Amino acid sequence: MRCRIKFVIGKEIKKKIYAFIFVFVLIIIGFKSNTIIKNIVDKAVVFSTAIISPQNTYFALKEKYVLGEESSDKSDKTDVDININANVNKPDVQKTESENSNSDIEQNDDLELPSNTQSVIEYSEKSSQSNSISGTDKNPQTIPKKYQAQLIEEHFTGKYDGNLFSKKGDVLIRNYTKITDEEIMDILEKPSDIKIKDITKPTVLIYHTHTTESYEKYDSDVYDTRNSWRDTDNTNNMAVVGDVLTSELEKYGINVIHDVTQHDYPSYNGSYDRSRVTMQKYLDKYPEIAITIDIHRDGIVGKNDTVKKPVAIIDGKKYAQLMIVPPCGNEEIKVPKWKENFRFATELSQYIYNENPDILRPMFLSHRFYNLDLRTGSLLFEIGSNGNTLEEATNTAKFIAKPIADYIKSLAEDKSDNIGNNNKDKK
């Protein structure tokens, strides 16, 4: 890998010129060709782009074309998120939490990483499509047979074993690090030191690095394989989930800012770089913000294009299960105060668990960055997966608002209930 990069750099200018011309010609051909040729052209464009910018595309290409499309429960059919700060000493093996599943989806972050890399590399095969890039409008009964694939509904859980699963109180933690169960317990023995002075002032920032992520249109046991699970209409994507959580938190007196910028459109690459700029803008303007939540949906695609959706059924209603992701630092990933984020995530999870234990998937602990270093109260939420419906996701957003608000109030220096709904000192 290193030798190859040195060779590319040695002839950088010439290769970039040739690659640029090649990409331009391929794009022209692609626009005037049938679907099969377009697919070939798409892949050629990506590999040519790797010549233009090898450092920013090599790892994503390896994940997509070497590890394979069923390699990750953090990957859906159209995109692969790779944190290039991943632990290079111990591959992170990611699996679905279901005790009943025999088709767990794995990812091995066994990539050779440059030591000075500090951002997230992403690749999307369909990232720049037009406005309606979500699923089709087809009812499952009308999907042509060749485009049908299985959609499985599961309740994702786990069992404490002191190795892959740790447990603090009632909260299960799926551990993909070299940190031992004993070390985790030592970290979590200390309570979170996050304090909130005044929750009538901007306290929570909700945003979306991948705003255009979307859900299945129908609650069914089949889906249309042509679905990209992306939608630039903010009434059909993650912005809706953020709107619901914002509205519900405000009912409980929490001052929330919700940003609906589409950081992943028109280009999926660089989404985290752009969302970091958005975060920093609000944190500079409202330094009193103590909590930031980046709301996503997971993507779970297995063998034979099988999609899984994590579901909790409460009083006969379906909810998309929530997975909370804190950052976790090491020598390569610089998150100096990640242990504070971890304590915060665990305490918040306990509040949600107390409301109903079925709504949570085990917390995901891996050496990840995700811009969560900007506040010790920064977390990433995965609400459901590409297989869930938007209704199931918004059900969850409504449900978790109360325990989140209760926990925030427990952190407030002024714990009076005379908070009102004075949430307009923003934007």
Side-chain angles (χ1 to χ4, degrees), residues 411-427:
L411 302 175
E413 293 180 358
D414 177 9
K415 293 183 171 59
S416 68
D417 286 328
N418 290 327
I419 296 169
N421 194 16
N422 302 320
N423 300 3
K424 305 308 176 185
D425 180 24
K426 56 193 176 185
K427 298 185 182 176

Side-chain angles (χ1 to χ4, degrees), residues 358-390:
D358 292 335
I359 203 78
L360 284 174
R361 293 166 63 182
M363 189 188 305
F364 182 86
L365 184 67
S366 179
H367 290 299
R368 304 288 173 176
F369 184 64
Y370 297 139
N371 294 329
L372 303 179
D373 61 315
L374 294 179
R375 282 289 187 274
T376 54
S378 291
L379 299 173
L380 186 148
F381 280 12
E382 299 274 13
I383 298 183
S385 79
N386 49 321
N388 290 94
T389 65
L390 181 58

Side-chain angles (χ1 to χ4, degrees), residues 34-66:
N34 61 32
T35 302
I36 296 175
I37 295 177
K38 282 184 178 180
N39 289 336
I40 296 172
V41 169
D42 285 344
K43 290 177 174 58
V45 168
V46 172
F47 281 101
S48 301
T49 305
I51 297 174
I52 298 173
S53 183
Q55 186 177 12
N56 289 343
T57 54
Y58 172 77
F59 309 107
L61 290 169
K62 181 174 180 180
E63 176 75 14
K64 183 71 175 176
Y65 296 111
V66 178

Side-chain angles (χ1 to χ4, degrees), residues 31-255:
F31 274 123
K32 297 186 177 183
S33 305
N34 61 32
T35 302
I36 296 175
I37 295 177
K38 282 184 178 180
N39 289 336
I40 296 172
V41 169
D42 285 344
K43 290 177 174 58
V45 168
V46 172
F47 281 101
S48 301
T49 305
I51 297 174
I52 298 173
S53 183
Q55 186 177 12
N56 289 343
T57 54
Y58 172 77
F59 309 107
L61 290 169
K62 181 174 180 180
E63 176 75 14
K64 183 71 175 176
Y65 296 111
V66 178
L67 298 182
E69 73 174 11
E70 62 177 276
S71 61
S72 168
D73 87 344
K74 183 67 185 127
S75 308
D76 60 27
K77 287 185 63 60
T78 62
D79 61 87
V80 177
D81 289 358
I82 304 173
N83 184 332
I84 62 175
N85 285 314
N87 183 2
V88 296
N89 297 316
K90 173 188 174 184
D92 287 340
V93 180
Q94 303 179 19
K95 294 185 178 182
T96 58
E97 296 86 3
S98 173
E99 291 180 316
N100 303 317
S101 173
N102 295 318
S103 58
D104 286 348
I105 305 159
E106 300 183 359
Q107 171 175 335
N108 294 303
D109 288 333
D110 57 351
L111 309 180
E112 183 181 2
L113 309 174
S115 60
N116 63 344
T117 305
Q118 295 296 329
S119 60
V120 173
I121 299 302
E122 305 147 281
Y123 167 69
S124 174
E125 196 171 326
K126 300 180 181 178
S127 63
S128 297
Q129 295 188 8
S130 62
N131 251 352
S132 185
I133 57 176
S134 177
T136 69
D137 288 329
K138 292 182 179 296
N139 186 290
Q141 284 72 32
T142 66
I143 302 171
K145 189 73 174 176
K146 65 178 180 178
Y147 295 119
Q148 291 184 19
Q150 188 177 21
L151 197 159
I152 300 174
E153 179 181 304
E154 286 190 6
H155 180 75
F156 284 32
T157 184
K159 190 173 183 180
Y160 172 74
D161 59 10
N163 182 23
L164 181 59
F165 285 102
S166 293
K167 190 174 185 180
K168 173 63 174 176
D170 297 307
V171 177
L172 277 170
I173 302 156
R174 192 147 187 167
N175 180 14
Y176 296 106
T177 73
K178 288 184 177 180
I179 303 169
T180 66
D181 181 64
E182 183 179 0
E183 289 170 327
I184 286 176
M185 292 304 103
D186 285 344
I187 292 170
L188 297 179
E189 190 65 31
K190 180 181 177 182
S192 169
D193 65 1
I194 296 174
K195 297 298 179 186
I196 299 171
K197 291 185 178 181
D198 185 354
I199 61 177
T200 65
K201 293 184 178 180
T203 300
V204 178
L205 170 63
I206 293 174
Y207 67 101
H208 314 277
T209 295
H210 298 150
T211 316
T212 70
E213 287 177 336
S214 61
Y215 296 91
E216 267 298 299
K217 198 171 185 69
Y218 298 96
D219 179 15
S220 174
D221 57 0
V222 297
Y223 75 95
D224 192 327
T225 58
R226 294 168 293 180
N227 194 342
S228 69
W229 298 291
R230 301 275 163 181
D231 201 315
T232 55
D233 181 350
N234 278 3
T235 65
N236 290 322
N237 58 30
M238 299 314 300
V240 178
V241 184
D243 279 340
V244 171
L245 182 56
T246 297
S247 176
E248 293 298 312
L249 285 173
E250 289 180 337
K251 289 178 184 178
Y252 292 107
I254 309 299
N255 195 321

